[in-house]
Amino acid sequence: MAIKILCVAGARPNFMKIAPILRALSARPAFRPRLVHTGQHYDDRLSKVFFEDLHIPKPDIELEVGSGSHAVQTAEIMRRFEPVLQAEQPHAVLVVGDVNSTIGCALVTSKFMLAEPFRCASGIRRRPLMIHVEAGLRSFDDDMPEEINRKLTDAISEVLFVSDPAGLTNLAREGVHDSRVFFVGNVMIDTLLAARDTAMRSTVLETLGLRAGQYALVTLHRPSNVDDPATLAPLLRVLDELGERTRMVFPVHPRTRARMSAHGITLDPSRWVVTDPIGYLDFIKLTACAKVVLTDSGGIQEETTVLGVPCVTLRDNTERPCTLHEGTNVLAGTRPEAIRAAFERSLVAPTPDRRPRLWDGHAAERIADDLLRIFEGFDAPARTV
Ligand code: UD1
């Protein structure tokens, strides 16, 4: 009998993390991975296109939760995930990242008792093993909903796979025992390295009328940047000024688009190329060919580091500090003069020729191998309780 692992994905940044994990688990006969899509993101441009671009198999289970306030969305994820555990009786649940689907499914799993216990290296288990991939990241900013999701998911997960060396320090400081922590590298970079050659064949530059190295790529979707027009309008104003120097390309997230139209914010088409959200392969091509990327995303800080493209992060903090020390990322915050200065610096800064440790395209394989060891002696159901 194989080890059944429910792998959870729900929102755009989850899909590129879950893809290599599903592949690595499927390649090992010991495992039977099953994909659960919570439906936190449901638009084709935030979900379906990633399944197509990354060849992710159709989800085995779809919860179709949709949007809502944090409480409503997280509660709906929990309410719909519990019957899945009842029906599936998995030996493990694996969640990635820091979105509401991550904490929702982790919390349900951590209190779920299996109908039949099973045996593995640590002894007899009565609950599915709770696994968190991309553990230990901390922005130290509790106003960020993802920070709450990260801390709580790590607290209730039993196996913590870490991508950024800072994660090891953070978890140790929080008193997490070493035996729960595995530094494996970055699964998002597995996907980037595997898809890079295909992505570079994308014709998105021609479609948008752009030339490599002659535009800046902008993404903005953090509630702290886009929800309040008193923050969003001046932020877009300073980016618009930079548009005097170079074309600005802006794939607009639905959250941001809604706020811009609610507050009548428009952008000058002579400076801006404004698009809907863009699929994975086209987005990687746009990133790789940009002069500079200005963003408040977490994942893009990592992708620019590996692609060697300057990144100006429009936030006061980052949970991914190795992109600052070993990559191309600069924290600019949201003050106009700081953004202008970071933009200018990024155009002349040399690109570091090293890459964060274990960001080598093999993180998911390490995860699968570590899980094989954790499940050593697996026997389901365990008969000698
Ligand atoms: C969520 C994640 C965030 C991640 C981001 C990537 C949480 C707390 N936040 O934020 O960490 O960086 O995804 O995109 O989990 N909407 C659509 N179509 C969709 C989904 C949402 O139009 O498929 C609209 C809805 O109006 C919704 C708004 O976008 O209210 C925001 O979506 P939501 O899932 O609440 O949060 P994100 O801002 O996307």
Side-chain angles (χ1 to χ4, degrees), residues 149-222:
N149 293 344
R150 293 178 195 120
K151 291 198 289 193
L152 297 183
T153 304
D154 285 345
I156 57 179
S157 294
E158 297 164 271
V159 176
L160 299 169
F161 288 118
V162 172
S163 55
D164 186 311
L168 300 173
T169 319
N170 294 335
L171 292 170
R173 192 190 307 108
E174 291 169 19
V176 176
H177 196 272
D178 279 357
S179 59
R180 285 167 60 199
V181 180
F182 301 79
F183 182 61
V184 289
N186 190 328
V187 286
M188 200 154 182
I189 301 308
D190 290 6
T191 292
L192 174 63
L193 296 177
R196 182 159 55 176
D197 289 349
T198 314
M200 292 315 284
R201 292 197 287 276
S202 152
T203 54
V204 66
L205 298 194
E206 291 81 343
T207 307
L208 297 179
L210 300 167
R211 290 227 183 128
Q214 297 191 15
Y215 61 88
L217 179 62
V218 175
T219 83
L220 280 177
H221 77 285
R222 293 259 156 249

Side-chain angles (χ1 to χ4, degrees), residues 1-13:
M1 184 164 177
I3 301 157
K4 190 197 268 194
I5 305 190
L6 291 191
C7 298
V8 175
R12 178 168 64 177

Side-chain angles (χ1 to χ4, degrees), residues 58-69:
K58 198 174 141 17
D60 298 289
I61 297 145
E62 304 205 41
L63 305 184
E64 299 180 347
V65 296
S67 299
S69 68

Side-chain angles (χ1 to χ4, degrees), residues 13 40-43 46 67 70 99-100 146 221 253-255:
Q40 177 175 344
H41 282 174
Y42 42 85
D43 276 355
L46 295 185
S67 299
H70 286 284
V99 300
N100 287 343
E146 293 82 358
H221 77 285
H253 187 281
R255 172 188 284 277

